[in-house]
């Protein structure tokens, strides 16, 4: 199975900050990586797929980059509604796997 | 508007069974592959099962293979998860999720239901 390791697991930031979350895959997954945002008590929401393609309706302050084994999600100019938990997920092979999550909290 | 609405969750004793349903609307059900994903209380996301747009192939996580069965009913535009031999560690919110449109390159989880809580306890 492909393991996804996110770092950091927890991040404290202020409104207006730029933050970057890293997701590392245990083996190459080309660009078959997605990023999701989840707020407490809510279902996850797709932000980015194919490592760098923004899902329709997602603000352009979210940016995904990377390929093969190393990927990043960058959020520029953090907004109050961006404080949430973020997960990466690979769709290169079965079983699908998620990273353990990165919680972004208000400093 | 795309809608995925799960139902069928509840309290069940260890060793028991439960069938979850996911009623869909707002898209052509037969054109999309579907998944079940769960989240234990305070934990991360765990993918469980996949079913293609035509009903086969299906794939499962090791943690549920042999106990859970994913299926779909095109007449009802619905997805199901039959869960047998339930254990305490199956306690979680269960989400159905629709893939993107297209081939293997679109198998990200594009649309999600609101989830249904399954509690396995005596």
């Amino acid at each position: 199975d492909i393991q996804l390791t996110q770092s950091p697991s927890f991040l404290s930031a202020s409104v207006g900050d730029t933050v970057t979350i890293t997701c590392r895959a245990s083996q190459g997954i080309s660009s078959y990586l997605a990023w999701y945002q989840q707020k407490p008590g809510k279902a996850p929401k797709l932000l980015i797929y194919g490592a760098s393609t923004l899902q329709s309706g997602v603000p352009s302050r979210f940016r995904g980059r990377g390929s093969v084994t190393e990927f990043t999600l960058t959020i520029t100019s953090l907004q109050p509604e961006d404080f949430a938990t973020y997960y990466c997920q690979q769709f290169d092979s079965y079983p699908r796997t998620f990273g353990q999550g990165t919680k972004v909290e208000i400093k | 508007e795309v809608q995925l609405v799960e139902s069928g969750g509840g309290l069940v004793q260890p060793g028991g069974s439960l069938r979850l349903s996911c009623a869909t609307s707002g898209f052509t059900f037969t054109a999309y592959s579907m998944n079940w994903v769960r989240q234990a209380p305070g934990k991360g996301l765990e993918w469980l099962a996949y079913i293609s747009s035509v009903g086969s192939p299906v794939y499962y996580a090791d943690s549920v293979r042999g106990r859970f069965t994913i299926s779909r009913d095109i007449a009802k535009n619905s997805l199901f998860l039959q869960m047998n031999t339930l254990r305490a560690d199956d306690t979680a919110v269960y989400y159905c999720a629709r893939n993107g449109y297209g081939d293997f390159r679109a198998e990200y989880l594009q649309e999600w239901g609101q989830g249904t809580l399954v509690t396995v306890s005596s």
Side-chain angles (χ1 to χ4, degrees), chain B residues 61-101:
Chain B
D62 287 347
S63 59
V64 303
R65 186 179 298 111
R67 299 190 300 125
F68 290 11
T69 302
I70 188 171
S71 62
R72 61 194 297 161
D73 184 332
I74 60 173
K76 296 181 179 179
N77 286 341
S78 292
L79 177 72
F80 303 99
L81 187 68
Q82 177 66 43
M83 305 187 296
N84 298 330
T85 319
L86 284 160
R87 312 184 301 225
D89 63 357
D90 293 318
T91 294
V93 174
Y94 286 72
Y95 296 100
C96 66
R98 192 203 78 182
N99 280 347
Y101 179 75

Side-chain angles (χ1 to χ4, degrees), chain A residues 38 42 44 87, chain B residues 37-46 91-95:
Chain A
Q38 187 179 32
K42 300 294 187 182
Y87 295 93
Chain B
V37 176
R38 71 183 177 186
Q39 187 169 38
K43 302 297 184 182
L45 300 169
E46 180 187 15
T91 294
V93 174
Y94 286 72
Y95 296 100

Side-chain angles (χ1 to χ4, degrees), chain A residues 7-41:
Chain A
S7 59
S9 297
F10 176 85
L11 193 159
S12 182
S14 301
V15 172
D17 284 353
T18 294
V19 299
T20 297
I21 300 167
T22 298
C23 177
R24 289 187 173 87
S26 60
Q27 62 192 75
I29 57 172
S30 184
S31 296
Y32 299 123
L33 188 100
W35 289 96
Y36 303 88
Q37 176 193 65
Q38 187 179 32
K39 297 180 180 179

Side-chain angles (χ1 to χ4, degrees), chain A residues 33-37 43-50 55 87-91 94 96-98, chain B residues 4 33-38 45-50 95-101 105-113:
Chain A
L33 188 100
W35 289 96
Y36 303 88
Q37 176 193 65
K45 171 188 171 184
L46 175 68
L47 298 176
I48 288 168
Y49 60 90
Q55 168 68 0
Y87 295 93
C88 58
Q89 180 240 336
Q90 63 82 16
F91 53 101
Y94 289 97
R96 304 306 197 210
T97 48
F98 290 89
Chain B
L4 306 173
S33 52
M34 302 289 295
N35 304 265
W36 287 98
V37 176
R38 71 183 177 186
L45 300 169
E46 180 187 15
W47 173 85
L48 298 180
Y50 160 95
Y95 296 100
C96 66
R98 192 203 78 182
N99 280 347
Y101 179 75
R105 290 164 290 192
E107 291 192 342
Y108 41 85
L109 305 171
Q110 187 174 51
E111 302 285 351
W112 295 67

Side-chain angles (χ1 to χ4, degrees), chain A residues 65-107:
Chain A
R65 305 183 80 170
S67 65
V68 188
T69 61
E70 184 133 346
F71 303 86
T72 58
L73 172 69
T74 298
I75 312 170
T76 57
S77 188
L78 265 176
Q79 298 300 298
E81 60 268 29
D82 299 337
F83 292 94
T85 299
Y86 294 85
Y87 295 93
C88 58
Q89 180 240 336
Q90 63 82 16
F91 53 101
D92 174 81
S93 64
Y94 289 97
R96 304 306 197 210
T97 48
F98 290 89
Q100 81 277 15
T102 296
K103 187 173 185 179
V104 179
E105 287 203 345
I106 301 173
K107 185 184 289 185

